[in-house]
Amino acid sequence: MAGLAMGYTVPEAQGGSNPDVGLLYDINGMAKGAPNWADKAMEFVGEYGILLALCMLMVCAWWSVRKKDDAVPAVAALAWAPLAAGIAVLVNIPIRGFVKRPRPFLDHQGLDVLVKGKTDFSFVSDHATLAMALGVGLFVANRKYGFLGIALALFEGFSRVYLGVHYPTDVIGGLALGTAVALLLAPLAMMLLTPAAGWIARSRAGWLVRAPGAPASLIAVPDQSTSVPHRHNDLAA
């Protein structure tokens, strides 16, 4: 690792030989050479913007999947995405308490910290965990939107290091945690959420699951309660 950040060398005592710390300085060093407006934009994007974009992506996916033949399991899968994100963040609470890793700017000098007031532990990143759980949850429901969601989650991880509030391994841990929760618990979640979505589809609130005017056949609940949306429909526009 080069360990260079816009004109200064990372001291060996500060982790110049540690790839995790060296990559932290390299990525965060980009902020030192960036104009103030770019740093402000990245601060908003990293703190709120990407998560808001993921929420908007979920709304777009919901609007689209209601028109498909597999609307019931697809909407159930979309409902699982925010639930998975919430569960992943809850799982992270004991992990943070056990690892107790300080924020990087507390142990390393010369970082350009763009987000102030972070006093909690660093490992793993809540933002990366949330974003990846939402992205993978979207992928379970619809590949097209899922790929976009996962790309946003990866950029969220990059932004947390750029902002100087997380080590790269904090982000990797968050991405892994969000993925694990969203995928490993998906079969159980679908077993519970698919019948619930089918019941809603047959109720007065059926527009939440199927588009108004859609054929009644689209609200049928699949025989396999643990199934996820068929992949050949996911790639439809």
Side-chain angles (χ1 to χ4, degrees), residues 129 132-133 136 174-184:
T129 301
M132 187 54 84
V136 173
L175 297 177
L177 177 59
T179 299
V181 170
L183 287 183
L184 295 179

Side-chain angles (χ1 to χ4, degrees), residues 6-211:
M6 302 308 299
Y8 69 89
T9 304
V10 179
E12 193 74 19
Q14 291 189 187
S17 62
N18 185 330
D20 193 24
V21 177
L23 189 58
L24 164 68
Y25 274 97
D26 284 339
I27 295 176
N28 179 254
M30 298 177 186
K32 292 184 176 293
N36 184 65
W37 65 265
D39 284 346
K40 291 294 184 181
M42 184 64 83
E43 179 182 348
F44 173 79
V45 167
E47 281 288 284
Y48 312 106
I50 292 177
L51 295 180
L52 288 174
L54 282 165
C55 291
M56 293 177 62
L57 198 61
M58 286 196 62
V59 172
C60 292
W62 165 75
W63 188 264
S64 175
V65 300
R66 294 183 311 146
K67 304 172 185 178
K68 296 183 180 298
D69 292 340
D70 56 356
V72 169
V75 172
L78 282 176
W80 165 236
L83 291 175
I87 292 172
V89 171
L90 289 176
V91 171
N92 190 28
I93 293 175
I95 294 176
R96 282 194 169 200
F98 177 76
V99 177
K100 295 183 178 179
R101 187 183 202 183
R103 295 279 181 170
F105 53 80
L106 297 177
D107 288 339
H108 304 285
Q109 300 177 0
L111 293 173
D112 192 5
V113 183
L114 302 182
V115 180
K116 309 299 181 182
K118 298 289 183 180
T119 58
D120 54 344
F121 295 121
S122 187
F123 186 89
V124 297
S125 167
D126 274 339
H127 279 74
T129 301
L130 271 170
M132 187 54 84
L134 288 172
V136 173
L138 271 168
F139 185 82
V140 171
N142 184 282
R143 282 187 177 179
K144 178 178 69 175
Y145 290 102
F147 280 126
L148 291 174
I150 291 172
L152 286 172
L154 293 175
F155 188 69
E156 176 69 55
F158 172 84
S159 73
R160 303 310 290 171
V161 182
Y162 181 97
L163 296 174
V165 294
H166 281 292
Y167 294 96
T169 48
D170 298 337
V171 167
I172 293 171
L175 297 177
L177 177 59
T179 299
V181 170
L183 287 183
L184 295 179
L185 297 182
L188 175 60
M190 292 299 294
M191 184 171 62
L192 299 174
L193 293 173
T194 301
W199 179 83
I200 294 173
R202 295 187 294 272
S203 71
R204 293 183 177 180
W207 61 271
L208 291 171
V209 176
R210 64 183 181 92

